[in-house]
Amino acid sequence: MSAYDRNNVFARILRGELPCKKVYEDEFALAFHDINPLAPVHVLVIPKGEYVSQADFGATAPPEMMTGFWRAVSKVARDLGLESEGYRIVANHGPNGGQLVFHFHIHIFGGRQMSHGMRSMPKPGREE
Ligand code: 5GP
């Protein structure tokens, strides 16, 4: 796994150097709308810490960060009104996972019916 790049775009958003359309923030997480939405609702949730990917987060984040972060993911989806109709969460890890930004993040997709199969997962730059 490569080292964390402090100049990645999400690190810059966290530092307030780049704007974002914020939907939620607490001590563990920041959530904002994806710049290139692949669903009517497409929100990213990022932890407030230097984690390259899901693998890095899962291996190194302290328990309170893990709990706080995943509670934030659930809260964001609930506050966006997605819970009753359903939504999809995705974390891309590494090249085969299609990860483009190397600061761990969860995609929340909602607002439309998504296919059950994994064959047509939303991909960056492409509608399902
Ligand atoms: P992944 O790394 O999981 O492939 O996806 C990165 C996501 O970040 C993409 O869906 C892309 O549209 C989004 N993204 C990239 N740069 C920016 C940015 O500057 N602002 C926001 N809001 N989203 C971004």
Side-chain angles (χ1 to χ4, degrees):
M1 195 187 316
S2 42
Y4 184 82
D5 172 11
R6 291 191 170 157
N7 283 320
N8 76 73
V9 69
F10 293 169
R12 299 189 64 201
I13 286 174
L14 267 182
R15 290 197 297 268
E17 295 169 8
L18 294 174
C20 71
K21 283 172 63 184
K22 182 163 83 175
V23 296
Y24 179 72
E25 182 170 17
D26 64 20
E27 65 183 296
F28 301 107
L30 174 69
F32 51 90
H33 292 279
D34 196 289
I35 206 168
N36 179 28
L38 301 177
V41 179
H42 183 174
V43 164
L44 302 169
V45 190
I46 69 175
K48 289 188 172 178
E50 298 185 351
Y51 306 104
V52 175
S53 67
Q54 140 63 24
D56 187 17
F57 186 76
T60 68
E64 61 273 18
M65 167 56 88
M66 287 210 178
T67 305
F69 176 74
W70 284 107
R71 286 210 196 289
V73 173
S74 303
K75 178 174 169 49
V76 167
R78 188 166 58 245
D79 290 353
L80 288 167
L82 301 177
E83 214 170 74
S84 58
E85 293 197 336
Y87 58 91
R88 176 173 289 176
I89 61 172
V90 168
N92 296 322
H93 167 77
N96 277 2
Q99 186 175 5
L100 297 176
V101 178
F102 291 90
H103 178 116
F104 172 51
H105 52 280
I106 292 293
H107 296 253
I108 301 176
F109 299 102
R112 69 170 161 86
Q113 176 69 57
M114 274 163 263
S115 60
H116 178 263
M118 302 297 273
R119 203 167 29 176
S120 54
M121 291 287 289
K123 292 191 179 65
R126 209 193 75 179
E127 287 289 336
E128 186 182 34

